[in-house]
Amino acid sequence: MKQEIFVTSSPQIYDDASTTNIMWSVFFCLMPAAAWGVFSFGVWAAAVLCTALASSIAAEALCAYLAGHPGTLWDGSACVTGLLVGMTMPPAVPLYVPFFASLFAIGVVKWTFGGLGRNWMNPALAGRVFVYFSWTRAMTTWSLPGVLRGADALSAATPLGFLKTGMSQSAEFFRTPMEYLREHGYPRSLLDGSISDWLNARLLEPLGISLPQGYADLFFGFMAGSIGEISSFLLLAGTVFLLARKILSPAIPASYFGSFGLLVWIFGGLPLGGEYFTGDILFHLFTGGLILGVFYMATDIVCSPVTVPGQILYGCGAGFLTFLIRLYGAFPEGVALAILVMNVFVPLINRITRPFRFGAGKGARL
Amino acid sequence: MNLLWKTFPKGGLHPRQMKSRLRGKALWNASIPALSIVPLLQHRGEPADCLVHPRDTVREGMLIGRARSDSSCHVHSPVPGIVKYIDEITLPWGEKTPAVFIELGGEFNRLGKAVHTYPWEGIPGDRLLTILSDKGVVGMYSGIPVHRKLTIPKGKFVRTLIINGIECEPYLCADHRIMVEKAAELVEGARIAATITCAPRRVIALTGDRPDALAALREKVREMKADIEVRALWSKYPLGDERQLIKAVTGEEIPSGGTALDAGAVVLNAATTLAMYEAVVLQKPLIERSITVAGRAIRDQANLKVRIGTPLADLVEECGGFTRMPEKIIVGGPLTGWGLSELSAPVTKTTAGVLFLSPKEIRNSRRTNCLNCGRCTRSCPMGLQPEAIYKWVEHSAYEEARGEGILDCTECGCCAYACPARIPLVKEIRAGKMILQSGGV
Ligand code: SF4
Ligand code: SF4
């Protein structure tokens, strides 16, 4: 009997959260949105996801073996990275693109610094940005989901890209992005009309507001975009679970959305020729992969700040950068770059937001 | 939950309490052990000098260990009987001490006899302190002899006396039962402590999630017209720690390296306060205490009143035996207690509970690299960065660890509890502290 009982130092019990179950929870919370991508874009999307996953698993196994710590696959972090890489790919991308993205993410970003927890950039995002600059054409060719696909519209722009190109070409002014999409015939699903009508009739009318048509498409994922980013609805559903389990800390998403939303509301109308305080927050929240980026990449526990004030600073910074790049920069999608830039600042943020020591205050005469 | 309930501001966490089935269980007297093992070191400081020899007859409550010096404490025989032998044992926390093995026999002179109460009012504080020291009363968690804790050095004043009924560690409910069942005695004990410390403000602090204890204490305070405030606080671990409790009640912080007196406060646990009452009013030495026996591996979880010196094996028997082999046997609470390898150790004055846990309750998992997630830092009530300290200690850079505040660590266990990578933060920090405190770098 003596041999069967451990002798251990305190604490004797642990929190539910462990590396493994955090990673696998994130993985499974991403699944519904990924599945929606496959459903919308067809078999090729599935092939892209599988390539990204398989190559990231293979890269992890190889790197771990070379580094002399085999057996890191079970912790799930490589699978999360692989899945995220796949989910940020355009649906019709050639398979070598996700392959190299995963390889770069795992092999270079994660393992040159020593594997899990040592990287200072989100591997999936870095992988995505790497292939974006290497194969820009392939990474900017989008297609529409099956339900929207007309005879001629096999490739199409994302709503944000559509708006961006339109703005640079024409001199006409539109008050809102939705108006622009509508006028220029951005495809819309049948569902959108019925959902908007239902919402307006049942919920919003008594409150004296009305939801213009088009937003439901953006929210539920009837638009062109990366495989995993289009359905904000399913991504948010996963997020609820992660927040409830305290796997995500709410400070980063809250400050990110807060700062981004505020800036968009104040200045977002200007590039379209509108006035201050007319920006379309909803449109900007549900496009450009913001939901995916904020909840699953900016909050990456490895490379976000440690303390809550630090997280708020980081979230605000990322929100500000996203706003800048998206509205004034050359790329329509600012999320990835904004988060990567903020990743670089994390050590600095951690240093200036160190916690105050207990008992070191006024009472301590040092 | 009540938003008006205060707590301490920094760090802390909410471990699963596991108390719902235990809180309602009344204290009952455990059977007297056939063989008691009474260590002569049950307190912080030096062991007591042994006064008995093998084959001596001892009475219940007789002095068997005399305090060697000021930093020692008397030990009394918990049972009547015959001294079998005196041998060295290892205490749960690894210290070695001589212990007196007493075989039960003869007549009890307290058990089942009428109680006499001793009129203590009007007795000056220093006399009361002598009584407490004669009866061997120590802090029932910390093991600090109470007469030492309550001796206020010149130039210091106690502004607040806090009776600590927080009991924030999971499983432990013995203090809760004391507050419910012995509210009058507790209030009386608090008045004794107030007389000794001359504190103008007296507070009994407990968490707001125990309405029965709150009601019982408030009623007694009103009945006895005692000038004592019964205060509900918001439960968060480690609110039961002196530092966090004083911060929550008075808003003052014990300065780094200081004691409670530096913040003008004295904190006594509920169990300690009850022991003080019994020592002064009933003239009873500290020979029994309330403990919680819990965990999924034991058949009947219970709150027990046991004699000091009862071997843990007797407790297992008392509680119906194991339902399965426990993964861990823990003396104390699950976040600060010690893991044992066998059942031969006895209950001491500071044993608040004995837990027999199943793997499901422990929730251990494989160790991984540090994720940099910051959970340790966010949960540290002392505002430290446990992960940074850990790295310094791991590289034997003790001076850097001192700079990170390693000596401020209270070993509350929050950081290692919260760490998803299961890094043994507290273990390493404790090792580093020991090296720094012993002066050898
Ligand atoms: S054990 Fe020490 S370092 Fe860890 S949380 Fe508690 S006080 Fe902080
Ligand atoms: S909680 Fe554990 S994994 Fe997270 S930063 Fe601290 S030591 Fe690292």
Side-chain angles (χ1 to χ4, degrees), chain B residues 209-251:
Chain B
D209 57 354
R210 36 183 100 191
D212 46 350
L214 269 174
L217 285 167
R218 288 208 166 116
E219 190 195 317
K220 290 299 170 202
V221 166
R222 207 173 324 115
E223 246 173 46
M224 296 164 69
K225 299 202 173 55
D227 181 17
I228 296 173
E229 184 185 335
V230 179
R231 182 89 183 267
L233 298 170
W234 192 56
S235 171
K236 179 161 83 164
Y237 181 84
L239 182 57
D241 188 288
E242 223 168 59
R243 286 152 213 280
Q244 275 67 42
L245 186 58
I246 294 173
K247 175 84 182 169
V249 172
T250 70

mmCIF file of all heavy atoms in Angstrom, chain B residues 209-251:
data_model
loop_
_atom_site.group_PDB
_atom_site.id
_atom_site.type_symbol
_atom_site.label_atom_id
_atom_site.label_comp_id
_atom_site.label_asym_id
_atom_site.label_seq_id
_atom_site.Cartn_x
_atom_site.Cartn_y
_atom_site.Cartn_z
ATOM 1 N N ASP B 209 -21.473 33.111 1.978
ATOM 2 C CA ASP B 209 -22.252 31.991 1.454
ATOM 3 C C ASP B 209 -22.630 30.990 2.538
ATOM 4 O O ASP B 209 -22.923 29.849 2.231
ATOM 5 C CB ASP B 209 -21.486 31.311 0.310
ATOM 6 C CG ASP B 209 -20.117 30.846 0.754
ATOM 7 O OD1 ASP B 209 -19.739 31.157 1.901
ATOM 8 O OD2 ASP B 209 -19.430 30.185 -0.027
ATOM 9 N N ARG B 210 -22.581 31.387 3.800
ATOM 10 C CA ARG B 210 -22.982 30.466 4.860
ATOM 11 C C ARG B 210 -23.954 31.152 5.808
ATOM 12 O O ARG B 210 -23.597 31.512 6.935
ATOM 13 C CB ARG B 210 -21.775 29.917 5.583
ATOM 14 C CG ARG B 210 -20.654 30.905 5.741
ATOM 15 C CD ARG B 210 -19.467 30.287 6.400
ATOM 16 N NE ARG B 210 -18.435 29.909 5.460
ATOM 17 C CZ ARG B 210 -17.402 29.155 5.782
ATOM 18 N NH1 ARG B 210 -17.288 28.670 6.991
ATOM 19 N NH2 ARG B 210 -16.484 28.859 4.901
ATOM 20 N N PRO B 211 -25.204 31.289 5.375
ATOM 21 C CA PRO B 211 -26.184 32.036 6.157
ATOM 22 C C PRO B 211 -26.413 31.444 7.547
ATOM 23 O O PRO B 211 -26.676 32.193 8.488
ATOM 24 C CB PRO B 211 -27.460 31.949 5.309
ATOM 25 C CG PRO B 211 -27.186 30.917 4.276
ATOM 26 C CD PRO B 211 -25.725 30.825 4.106
ATOM 27 N N ASP B 212 -26.295 30.107 7.689
ATOM 28 C CA ASP B 212 -26.569 29.524 9.011
ATOM 29 C C ASP B 212 -25.564 30.010 10.053
ATOM 30 O O ASP B 212 -25.933 30.390 11.165
ATOM 31 C CB ASP B 212 -26.588 27.993 8.943
ATOM 32 C CG ASP B 212 -25.418 27.424 8.164
ATOM 33 O OD1 ASP B 212 -24.696 28.209 7.517
ATOM 34 O OD2 ASP B 212 -25.210 26.199 8.206
ATOM 35 N N ALA B 213 -24.277 30.042 9.674
ATOM 36 C CA ALA B 213 -23.259 30.500 10.614
ATOM 37 C C ALA B 213 -23.430 31.986 10.904
ATOM 38 O O ALA B 213 -23.320 32.424 12.054
ATOM 39 C CB ALA B 213 -21.868 30.223 10.042
ATOM 40 N N LEU B 214 -23.730 32.739 9.847
ATOM 41 C CA LEU B 214 -23.939 34.184 10.029
ATOM 42 C C LEU B 214 -25.061 34.449 11.024
ATOM 43 O O LEU B 214 -24.913 35.238 11.960
ATOM 44 C CB LEU B 214 -24.312 34.825 8.688
ATOM 45 C CG LEU B 214 -23.194 35.354 7.820
ATOM 46 C CD1 LEU B 214 -23.761 35.796 6.487
ATOM 47 C CD2 LEU B 214 -22.503 36.510 8.501
ATOM 48 N N ALA B 215 -26.176 33.744 10.830
ATOM 49 C CA ALA B 215 -27.334 33.960 11.693
ATOM 50 C C ALA B 215 -27.009 33.572 13.123
ATOM 51 O O ALA B 215 -27.316 34.313 14.074
ATOM 52 C CB ALA B 215 -28.518 33.155 11.170
ATOM 53 N N ALA B 216 -26.367 32.417 13.292
ATOM 54 C CA ALA B 216 -26.054 31.947 14.647
ATOM 55 C C ALA B 216 -25.171 32.946 15.372
ATOM 56 O O ALA B 216 -25.430 33.312 16.531
ATOM 57 C CB ALA B 216 -25.366 30.584 14.570
ATOM 58 N N LEU B 217 -24.120 33.416 14.671
ATOM 59 C CA LEU B 217 -23.184 34.335 15.323
ATOM 60 C C LEU B 217 -23.847 35.669 15.636
ATOM 61 O O LEU B 217 -23.678 36.226 16.725
ATOM 62 C CB LEU B 217 -21.964 34.547 14.434
ATOM 63 C CG LEU B 217 -20.981 33.371 14.406
ATOM 64 C CD1 LEU B 217 -19.984 33.541 13.284
ATOM 65 C CD2 LEU B 217 -20.266 33.272 15.739
ATOM 66 N N ARG B 218 -24.647 36.169 14.681
ATOM 67 C CA ARG B 218 -25.283 37.470 14.913
ATOM 68 C C ARG B 218 -26.213 37.394 16.112
ATOM 69 O O ARG B 218 -26.264 38.298 16.945
ATOM 70 C CB ARG B 218 -26.066 37.887 13.670
ATOM 71 C CG ARG B 218 -25.132 38.286 12.541
ATOM 72 C CD ARG B 218 -25.763 39.297 11.596
ATOM 73 N NE ARG B 218 -24.722 39.877 10.766
ATOM 74 C CZ ARG B 218 -24.649 39.736 9.447
ATOM 75 N NH1 ARG B 218 -25.588 39.078 8.792
ATOM 76 N NH2 ARG B 218 -23.658 40.282 8.771
ATOM 77 N N GLU B 219 -26.930 36.276 16.208
ATOM 78 C CA GLU B 219 -27.867 36.129 17.309
ATOM 79 C C GLU B 219 -27.124 36.126 18.647
ATOM 80 O O GLU B 219 -27.520 36.805 19.599
ATOM 81 C CB GLU B 219 -28.656 34.837 17.130
ATOM 82 C CG GLU B 219 -29.804 34.704 18.086
ATOM 83 C CD GLU B 219 -30.324 33.283 18.120
ATOM 84 O OE1 GLU B 219 -30.454 32.691 17.032
ATOM 85 O OE2 GLU B 219 -30.563 32.777 19.230
ATOM 86 N N LYS B 220 -26.040 35.374 18.704
ATOM 87 C CA LYS B 220 -25.290 35.289 19.964
ATOM 88 C C LYS B 220 -24.675 36.632 20.336
ATOM 89 O O LYS B 220 -24.667 37.015 21.502
ATOM 90 C CB LYS B 220 -24.187 34.233 19.856
ATOM 91 C CG LYS B 220 -24.704 32.826 19.809
ATOM 92 C CD LYS B 220 -25.487 32.472 21.062
ATOM 93 C CE LYS B 220 -26.195 31.143 20.848
ATOM 94 N NZ LYS B 220 -27.338 30.929 21.728
ATOM 95 N N VAL B 221 -24.155 37.324 19.324
ATOM 96 C CA VAL B 221 -23.555 38.628 19.610
ATOM 97 C C VAL B 221 -24.596 39.558 20.206
ATOM 98 O O VAL B 221 -24.349 40.271 21.174
ATOM 99 C CB VAL B 221 -22.945 39.231 18.326
ATOM 100 C CG1 VAL B 221 -22.632 40.700 18.531
ATOM 101 C CG2 VAL B 221 -21.693 38.478 17.937
ATOM 102 N N ARG B 222 -25.813 39.503 19.650
ATOM 103 C CA ARG B 222 -26.879 40.352 20.157
ATOM 104 C C ARG B 222 -27.254 39.939 21.574
ATOM 105 O O ARG B 222 -27.355 40.761 22.474
ATOM 106 C CB ARG B 222 -28.095 40.278 19.225
ATOM 107 C CG ARG B 222 -28.951 41.527 19.271
ATOM 108 C CD ARG B 222 -30.062 41.504 18.223
ATOM 109 N NE ARG B 222 -29.678 40.884 16.968
ATOM 110 C CZ ARG B 222 -30.205 39.763 16.480
ATOM 111 N NH1 ARG B 222 -31.146 39.118 17.161
ATOM 112 N NH2 ARG B 222 -29.816 39.274 15.328
ATOM 113 N N GLU B 223 -27.437 38.630 21.775
ATOM 114 C CA GLU B 223 -27.817 38.101 23.079
ATOM 115 C C GLU B 223 -26.812 38.483 24.167
ATOM 116 O O GLU B 223 -27.168 38.870 25.264
ATOM 117 C CB GLU B 223 -27.858 36.575 23.002
ATOM 118 C CG GLU B 223 -29.227 35.979 23.172
ATOM 119 C CD GLU B 223 -29.171 34.488 22.895
ATOM 120 O OE1 GLU B 223 -28.248 33.831 23.403
ATOM 121 O OE2 GLU B 223 -30.038 34.005 22.143
ATOM 122 N N MET B 224 -25.518 38.350 23.812
ATOM 123 C CA MET B 224 -24.489 38.571 24.824
ATOM 124 C C MET B 224 -24.077 40.037 24.885
ATOM 125 O O MET B 224 -23.178 40.389 25.636
ATOM 126 C CB MET B 224 -23.277 37.692 24.512
ATOM 127 C CG MET B 224 -23.617 36.211 24.595
ATOM 128 S SD MET B 224 -22.378 35.167 23.808
ATOM 129 C CE MET B 224 -21.021 35.373 24.937
ATOM 130 N N LYS B 225 -24.728 40.856 24.076
ATOM 131 C CA LYS B 225 -24.419 42.287 24.028
ATOM 132 C C LYS B 225 -22.927 42.528 23.858
ATOM 133 O O LYS B 225 -22.331 43.381 24.532
ATOM 134 C CB LYS B 225 -24.925 42.989 25.289
ATOM 135 C CG LYS B 225 -26.433 42.893 25.462
ATOM 136 C CD LYS B 225 -26.949 44.004 26.352
ATOM 137 C CE LYS B 225 -28.459 44.024 26.384
ATOM 138 N NZ LYS B 225 -29.042 42.707 26.782
ATOM 139 N N ALA B 226 -22.302 41.734 23.015
ATOM 140 C CA ALA B 226 -20.870 41.894 22.794
ATOM 141 C C ALA B 226 -20.652 42.967 21.738
ATOM 142 O O ALA B 226 -21.448 43.093 20.805
ATOM 143 C CB ALA B 226 -20.264 40.579 22.321
ATOM 144 N N ASP B 227 -19.596 43.723 21.903
ATOM 145 C CA ASP B 227 -19.302 44.793 20.947
ATOM 146 C C ASP B 227 -18.463 44.212 19.810
ATOM 147 O O ASP B 227 -17.278 44.502 19.685
ATOM 148 C CB ASP B 227 -18.566 45.914 21.673
ATOM 149 C CG ASP B 227 -18.263 47.063 20.736
ATOM 150 O OD1 ASP B 227 -18.880 47.130 19.660
ATOM 151 O OD2 ASP B 227 -17.397 47.881 21.088
ATOM 152 N N ILE B 228 -19.106 43.342 19.023
ATOM 153 C CA ILE B 228 -18.385 42.642 17.967
ATOM 154 C C ILE B 228 -19.194 42.715 16.686
ATOM 155 O O ILE B 228 -20.411 42.567 16.696
ATOM 156 C CB ILE B 228 -18.158 41.156 18.350
ATOM 157 C CG1 ILE B 228 -17.264 41.071 19.585
ATOM 158 C CG2 ILE B 228 -17.532 40.395 17.202
ATOM 159 C CD1 ILE B 228 -17.118 39.688 20.125
ATOM 160 N N GLU B 229 -18.497 42.962 15.601
ATOM 161 C CA GLU B 229 -19.146 43.087 14.301
ATOM 162 C C GLU B 229 -19.042 41.718 13.606
ATOM 163 O O GLU B 229 -17.985 41.119 13.577
ATOM 164 C CB GLU B 229 -18.352 44.146 13.540
ATOM 165 C CG GLU B 229 -18.833 44.559 12.201
ATOM 166 C CD GLU B 229 -17.819 45.532 11.583
ATOM 167 O OE1 GLU B 229 -17.074 46.202 12.346
ATOM 168 O OE2 GLU B 229 -17.751 45.591 10.354
ATOM 169 N N VAL B 230 -20.161 41.223 13.067
ATOM 170 C CA VAL B 230 -20.103 39.984 12.296
ATOM 171 C C VAL B 230 -20.182 40.359 10.831
ATOM 172 O O VAL B 230 -21.163 40.923 10.370
ATOM 173 C CB VAL B 230 -21.242 39.021 12.671
ATOM 174 C CG1 VAL B 230 -21.170 37.762 11.837
ATOM 175 C CG2 VAL B 230 -21.175 38.682 14.140
ATOM 176 N N ARG B 231 -19.149 40.047 10.086
ATOM 177 C CA ARG B 231 -18.994 40.633 8.766
ATOM 178 C C ARG B 231 -18.986 39.548 7.697
ATOM 179 O O ARG B 231 -18.223 38.595 7.787
ATOM 180 C CB ARG B 231 -17.648 41.364 8.785
ATOM 181 C CG ARG B 231 -17.287 42.076 7.548
ATOM 182 C CD ARG B 231 -17.835 43.487 7.626
ATOM 183 N NE ARG B 231 -17.535 44.140 6.364
ATOM 184 C CZ ARG B 231 -16.456 44.874 6.147
ATOM 185 N NH1 ARG B 231 -15.582 45.065 7.108
ATOM 186 N NH2 ARG B 231 -16.258 45.417 4.977
ATOM 187 N N ALA B 232 -19.856 39.709 6.695
ATOM 188 C CA ALA B 232 -19.869 38.759 5.586
ATOM 189 C C ALA B 232 -18.946 39.257 4.476
ATOM 190 O O ALA B 232 -19.008 40.414 4.094
ATOM 191 C CB ALA B 232 -21.282 38.606 5.044
ATOM 192 N N LEU B 233 -18.083 38.388 3.975
ATOM 193 C CA LEU B 233 -17.187 38.756 2.883
ATOM 194 C C LEU B 233 -17.447 37.846 1.697
ATOM 195 O O LEU B 233 -18.088 36.806 1.821
ATOM 196 C CB LEU B 233 -15.727 38.623 3.315
ATOM 197 C CG LEU B 233 -15.280 39.524 4.468
ATOM 198 C CD1 LEU B 233 -13.914 39.116 4.944
ATOM 199 C CD2 LEU B 233 -15.269 40.974 4.021
ATOM 200 N N TRP B 234 -16.924 38.244 0.554
ATOM 201 C CA TRP B 234 -17.149 37.472 -0.666
ATOM 202 C C TRP B 234 -16.060 36.421 -0.793
ATOM 203 O O TRP B 234 -14.877 36.738 -0.763
ATOM 204 C CB TRP B 234 -17.136 38.414 -1.862
ATOM 205 C CG TRP B 234 -17.642 37.782 -3.102
ATOM 206 C CD1 TRP B 234 -18.849 37.180 -3.263
ATOM 207 C CD2 TRP B 234 -16.957 37.680 -4.339
ATOM 208 N NE1 TRP B 234 -18.963 36.716 -4.536
ATOM 209 C CE2 TRP B 234 -17.822 37.002 -5.220
ATOM 210 C CE3 TRP B 234 -15.708 38.086 -4.792
ATOM 211 C CZ2 TRP B 234 -17.464 36.725 -6.526
ATOM 212 C CZ3 TRP B 234 -15.358 37.813 -6.087
ATOM 213 C CH2 TRP B 234 -16.236 37.145 -6.952
ATOM 214 N N SER B 235 -16.451 35.196 -0.932
ATOM 215 C CA SER B 235 -15.487 34.102 -0.875
ATOM 216 C C SER B 235 -14.589 34.054 -2.099
ATOM 217 O O SER B 235 -15.053 34.026 -3.224
ATOM 218 C CB SER B 235 -16.249 32.781 -0.760
ATOM 219 O OG SER B 235 -15.359 31.715 -0.902
ATOM 220 N N LYS B 236 -13.300 34.104 -1.847
ATOM 221 C CA LYS B 236 -12.330 33.919 -2.918
ATOM 222 C C LYS B 236 -11.106 33.335 -2.244
ATOM 223 O O LYS B 236 -10.749 33.758 -1.153
ATOM 224 C CB LYS B 236 -12.030 35.277 -3.583
ATOM 225 C CG LYS B 236 -11.025 35.216 -4.704
ATOM 226 C CD LYS B 236 -11.100 36.444 -5.619
ATOM 227 C CE LYS B 236 -10.328 37.620 -5.097
ATOM 228 N NZ LYS B 236 -10.068 38.663 -6.110
ATOM 229 N N TYR B 237 -10.473 32.380 -2.852
ATOM 230 C CA TYR B 237 -9.277 31.826 -2.244
ATOM 231 C C TYR B 237 -8.096 32.739 -2.561
ATOM 232 O O TYR B 237 -8.015 33.210 -3.689
ATOM 233 C CB TYR B 237 -9.014 30.417 -2.796
ATOM 234 C CG TYR B 237 -7.807 29.783 -2.182
ATOM 235 C CD1 TYR B 237 -7.895 29.124 -0.970
ATOM 236 C CD2 TYR B 237 -6.563 29.906 -2.786
ATOM 237 C CE1 TYR B 237 -6.773 28.609 -0.382
ATOM 238 C CE2 TYR B 237 -5.439 29.372 -2.196
ATOM 239 C CZ TYR B 237 -5.550 28.738 -0.995
ATOM 240 O OH TYR B 237 -4.447 28.231 -0.402
ATOM 241 N N PRO B 238 -7.150 33.054 -1.722
ATOM 242 C CA PRO B 238 -6.999 32.703 -0.307
ATOM 243 C C PRO B 238 -7.431 33.819 0.645
ATOM 244 O O PRO B 238 -6.594 34.393 1.322
ATOM 245 C CB PRO B 238 -5.504 32.488 -0.208
ATOM 246 C CG PRO B 238 -4.932 33.510 -1.182
ATOM 247 C CD PRO B 238 -5.969 33.753 -2.230
ATOM 248 N N LEU B 239 -8.705 34.075 0.743
ATOM 249 C CA LEU B 239 -9.181 35.107 1.658
ATOM 250 C C LEU B 239 -8.861 34.744 3.104
ATOM 251 O O LEU B 239 -8.741 35.609 3.960
ATOM 252 C CB LEU B 239 -10.689 35.300 1.465
ATOM 253 C CG LEU B 239 -11.367 36.367 2.302
ATOM 254 C CD1 LEU B 239 -10.729 37.719 2.073
ATOM 255 C CD2 LEU B 239 -12.837 36.445 1.981
ATOM 256 N N GLY B 240 -8.725 33.450 3.392
ATOM 257 C CA GLY B 240 -8.433 33.037 4.764
ATOM 258 C C GLY B 240 -7.018 33.369 5.198
ATOM 259 O O GLY B 240 -6.688 33.286 6.374
ATOM 260 N N ASP B 241 -6.160 33.735 4.252
ATOM 261 C CA ASP B 241 -4.802 34.128 4.618
ATOM 262 C C ASP B 241 -4.852 35.493 5.301
ATOM 263 O O ASP B 241 -5.562 36.388 4.879
ATOM 264 C CB ASP B 241 -3.942 34.205 3.354
ATOM 265 C CG ASP B 241 -2.476 34.415 3.684
ATOM 266 O OD1 ASP B 241 -2.088 35.507 4.101
ATOM 267 O OD2 ASP B 241 -1.739 33.441 3.514
ATOM 268 N N GLU B 242 -4.050 35.585 6.369
ATOM 269 C CA GLU B 242 -3.990 36.815 7.155
ATOM 270 C C GLU B 242 -3.898 38.075 6.300
ATOM 271 O O GLU B 242 -4.622 39.037 6.489
ATOM 272 C CB GLU B 242 -2.753 36.728 8.028
ATOM 273 C CG GLU B 242 -2.943 37.170 9.430
ATOM 274 C CD GLU B 242 -1.737 36.771 10.267
ATOM 275 O OE1 GLU B 242 -0.615 37.191 9.952
ATOM 276 O OE2 GLU B 242 -1.935 36.031 11.231
ATOM 277 N N ARG B 243 -2.978 38.058 5.328
ATOM 278 C CA ARG B 243 -2.729 39.264 4.543
ATOM 279 C C ARG B 243 -3.971 39.691 3.769
ATOM 280 O O ARG B 243 -4.377 40.854 3.785
ATOM 281 C CB ARG B 243 -1.610 39.007 3.530
ATOM 282 C CG ARG B 243 -0.284 38.940 4.151
ATOM 283 C CD ARG B 243 0.674 38.066 3.368
ATOM 284 N NE ARG B 243 1.558 37.446 4.345
ATOM 285 C CZ ARG B 243 2.591 38.060 4.869
ATOM 286 N NH1 ARG B 243 2.891 39.276 4.492
ATOM 287 N NH2 ARG B 243 3.336 37.473 5.777
ATOM 288 N N GLN B 244 -4.573 38.737 3.093
ATOM 289 C CA GLN B 244 -5.731 39.057 2.275
ATOM 290 C C GLN B 244 -6.925 39.436 3.145
ATOM 291 O O GLN B 244 -7.708 40.309 2.802
ATOM 292 C CB GLN B 244 -6.091 37.862 1.376
ATOM 293 C CG GLN B 244 -5.306 37.821 0.087
ATOM 294 C CD GLN B 244 -3.840 37.550 0.305
ATOM 295 O OE1 GLN B 244 -3.474 36.717 1.101
ATOM 296 N NE2 GLN B 244 -2.985 38.263 -0.412
ATOM 297 N N LEU B 245 -7.043 38.766 4.301
ATOM 298 C CA LEU B 245 -8.183 39.040 5.167
ATOM 299 C C LEU B 245 -8.093 40.445 5.755
ATOM 300 O O LEU B 245 -9.077 41.199 5.775
ATOM 301 C CB LEU B 245 -8.251 37.996 6.280
ATOM 302 C CG LEU B 245 -9.482 38.091 7.170
ATOM 303 C CD1 LEU B 245 -10.741 37.961 6.341
ATOM 304 C CD2 LEU B 245 -9.455 37.015 8.230
ATOM 305 N N ILE B 246 -6.897 40.815 6.210
ATOM 306 C CA ILE B 246 -6.740 42.168 6.775
ATOM 307 C C ILE B 246 -7.028 43.209 5.698
ATOM 308 O O ILE B 246 -7.707 44.203 5.933
ATOM 309 C CB ILE B 246 -5.319 42.349 7.348
ATOM 310 C CG1 ILE B 246 -5.126 41.429 8.551
ATOM 311 C CG2 ILE B 246 -5.088 43.795 7.753
ATOM 312 C CD1 ILE B 246 -3.729 41.413 9.088
ATOM 313 N N LYS B 247 -6.527 42.948 4.502
ATOM 314 C CA LYS B 247 -6.770 43.877 3.390
ATOM 315 C C LYS B 247 -8.278 44.022 3.145
ATOM 316 O O LYS B 247 -8.784 45.128 2.946
ATOM 317 C CB LYS B 247 -6.073 43.341 2.137
ATOM 318 C CG LYS B 247 -6.347 44.128 0.887
ATOM 319 C CD LYS B 247 -5.441 45.313 0.763
ATOM 320 C CE LYS B 247 -5.777 46.115 -0.480
ATOM 321 N NZ LYS B 247 -5.111 47.402 -0.503
ATOM 322 N N ALA B 248 -8.981 42.902 3.165
ATOM 323 C CA ALA B 248 -10.412 42.962 2.872
ATOM 324 C C ALA B 248 -11.186 43.649 3.991
ATOM 325 O O ALA B 248 -12.150 44.362 3.732
ATOM 326 C CB ALA B 248 -10.959 41.555 2.632
ATOM 327 N N VAL B 249 -10.768 43.431 5.231
ATOM 328 C CA VAL B 249 -11.544 43.969 6.353
ATOM 329 C C VAL B 249 -11.181 45.417 6.647
ATOM 330 O O VAL B 249 -12.042 46.263 6.847
ATOM 331 C CB VAL B 249 -11.358 43.096 7.615
ATOM 332 C CG1 VAL B 249 -11.994 43.756 8.816
ATOM 333 C CG2 VAL B 249 -11.964 41.722 7.393
ATOM 334 N N THR B 250 -9.870 45.724 6.686
ATOM 335 C CA THR B 250 -9.480 47.078 7.082
ATOM 336 C C THR B 250 -8.937 47.908 5.926
ATOM 337 O O THR B 250 -8.779 49.104 6.050
ATOM 338 C CB THR B 250 -8.380 47.049 8.159
ATOM 339 O OG1 THR B 250 -7.160 46.592 7.547
ATOM 340 C CG2 THR B 250 -8.726 46.116 9.290
ATOM 341 N N GLY B 251 -8.601 47.263 4.800
ATOM 342 C CA GLY B 251 -8.036 48.002 3.687
ATOM 343 C C GLY B 251 -6.534 48.216 3.821
ATOM 344 O O GLY B 251 -5.918 48.820 2.958
#
